[in-house]
Amino acid sequence: MSTDTVRTTTAEDPDARLRRRYEQRGWYFYDWACSVYSTSVLTVFLGPYLTEIAKSAADPDGCVHPLGVPVSAGSYFAYTVSASVLVSVLVMPFAGAAADRTGRKKPLLATAAYLGAAATAGMFFLDGDRYLLGGLLLIVANASLAVSMVLYNAYLPQIAPPEERDAVSARGWAFGYASGALVLMANLVLFLAHDTFGVSEATAVRICLASAGVWWGAFTLVPLRRLRDRAKEPSAAAPRHGWGQLAATVRDMRRHPHTLAFLLAYLVYNDGVQTVISQASVYGSEELGLGQSTLIVAVLLVQVLAVAGALAMGRLARTHGAKRTILGSLVAWTVTIGAGSFLPAGAPVWFFVLAVGIGLVLGGTQALSRSLFSHLVPPGKEAEYFSAYEVSDRGMAWLGPLIFGLTYQLTGSYRDAIMSLAVFFLIGFALLARVPVRRAVRDAGNPVPDRI
């Protein structure tokens, strides 16, 4: 087994345990650092603001012309996010292979993190009609975040032995959600009381965007100080680029079919998770007639409860195993969105109840999926396999919104559209239930935990 993977013995050296805890605490702080980008920038502020900037630059037909292509100003943000996903898919496999072959994850993590943080801080300069600058910064920040998460996740098998991995992964997600909630609350104070602070609403938004970049960069110093790279002989072979490396990783996974089967299950149910997150606000505003302030409070509620949910499901995994706990969470997702499709219009309290249900299962589903996958990765290929994991997370993010949009187009009902997402959780449940995880761990060459 590679020395990159943590192993424990019944008589572990106390100093080794302390060093491991030191690294784990540093690892948590990257979630704390970067999650504010996902929450404050992507989920709340950047979409509406960049759309307004694009509209101010639009021609009489309501179109802007990036690279000479006519694009509806109202669609500019969505198309830019799609472009960032494509860039991410091309870059992540290259970064993962480079990290595995050189053993130097930390310099690559630092490069990706500070490139993303700088792009986010640069959003302070988005004013007037600078929609092209906004699109460029969004693509750079999103792609940098994706690459950094490949490298960050690849540390998990190195800093946590099998019996600790579920709890460590859950704490990382909890740190991220706590950070997102804390910064979002501060941002909302500035945004809602901007006159009191003597700034315009647009300036307040620009400060909120830039503050996420400053936060990301500042707290990235903690993991960079505490995490360490394991010595490894550099490979003479040059890493493949983009899809070529991804294809090579998938071919290698064919030797570990149960790992590939888990990745397929994750691809399906996680697409449902991501679509619920991205479309819940559309459902709340368009179908239930709820205002922006209600939707923002709901986002905060999800963030706060996701902390408790991640920690609680991490504890459940200790007694019931990660696979059974994830399967239980998929049942909870199905029940939650099924009940959500019957919410009465104009009743914020019931939308908050829906947010509670989403928050309690959100963090745990993501955290335990990451930790379970880490058991299925062959030693020495952590970053390479986690690049495929991130691609499955991001590269298929179009399917759920497509099903949601087609259902609405065919039925004219957002209630039917939100209910259509249950198919992702049901299929994901069926696929995951068929994965023999204990055998998959053994086949990957890793020790099998007592509970998994």
Side-chain angles (χ1 to χ4, degrees), residues 33 103 155 187 194 240 248 309 351 358 368 372:
Y155 272 103
N187 289 162
H194 59 86
R240 293 181 178 88
F351 192 72
I358 291 174
L368 294 180
L372 181 54

Side-chain angles (χ1 to χ4, degrees), residues 86-150:
L86 177 60
V87 172
S88 301
V89 167
L90 294 174
V91 175
M92 284 189 294
F94 175 83
D100 280 337
R101 294 180 187 188
T102 64
R104 294 176 57 80
K105 295 181 181 65
K106 191 154 69 169
L108 293 169
L109 175 62
T111 301
Y114 281 107
L115 186 60
T120 306
M123 292 176 185
F124 178 79
F125 300 102
L126 296 182
D127 58 1
D129 59 357
R130 296 178 177 175
Y131 74 95
L132 285 175
L133 176 62
L136 176 62
L137 293 176
L138 172 57
I139 289 172
V140 171
N142 262 9
S144 298
L145 177 65
V147 169
S148 72
M149 290 306 294
V150 168

Side-chain angles (χ1 to χ4, degrees), residues 85 89 243 263-264 266-268 270-272 274-275 389-402 424:
V85 170
V89 167
W243 282 102
L263 198 60
L264 176 61
Y266 173 75
L267 183 151
V268 173
N270 186 64
D271 201 7
Q274 297 304 320
T275 307
Y389 181 84
E390 286 293 317
V391 166
S392 71
D393 187 348
R394 297 170 183 272
M396 288 298 293
W398 55 271
L399 185 57
L402 176 63
F424 289 92

Side-chain angles (χ1 to χ4, degrees), residues 236-361:
R240 293 181 178 88
H241 293 265
W243 282 102
Q245 179 57 53
L246 179 61
T249 303
V250 172
R251 284 196 298 271
D252 186 70
M253 280 186 181
R254 292 173 64 183
R255 298 190 299 108
H256 305 282
H258 301 309
T259 300
L260 194 58
F262 171 81
L263 198 60
L264 176 61
Y266 173 75
L267 183 151
V268 173
Y269 70 72
N270 186 64
D271 201 7
V273 171
Q274 297 304 320
T275 307
V276 171
I277 294 171
S278 65
Q279 301 303 319
S281 60
V282 175
Y283 177 64
S285 61
E286 299 297 325
E287 185 70 34
L288 305 182
L290 303 176
Q292 183 68 25
S293 60
T294 299
L295 299 177
I296 291 175
V297 171
V299 170
L300 266 175
L301 194 57
V302 169
Q303 291 292 123
V304 172
L305 289 174
V307 176
L311 295 175
M313 287 180 62
R315 290 194 182 113
L316 281 175
R318 294 179 195 171
T319 55
H320 299 285
K323 177 183 174 181
R324 288 182 180 178
T325 306
I326 295 171
L327 288 173
S329 78
L330 298 182
V331 173
W333 273 107
T334 306
V335 172
T336 298
I337 64 170
S341 66
F342 293 99
L343 295 183
V349 64
W350 288 110
F351 192 72
F352 293 150
V353 172
L354 177 64
V356 169
I358 291 174
L360 289 175
V361 293

Side-chain angles (χ1 to χ4, degrees), residues 4-6 19-28 152-161 164-165 168 226-228 230:
D4 283 356
T5 301
V6 171
R19 288 193 297 269
R20 191 172 73 250
R21 294 283 187 266
Y22 181 83
E23 279 197 274
Q24 288 172 359
R25 293 184 185 115
W27 186 80
Y28 300 148
Y152 167 72
N153 288 337
Y155 272 103
L156 181 58
Q158 298 180 1
I159 64 172
E164 291 183 2
R165 215 164 287 170
V168 170
R226 293 197 169 200
L227 293 172
R228 62 183 179 88
R230 275 64 176 170

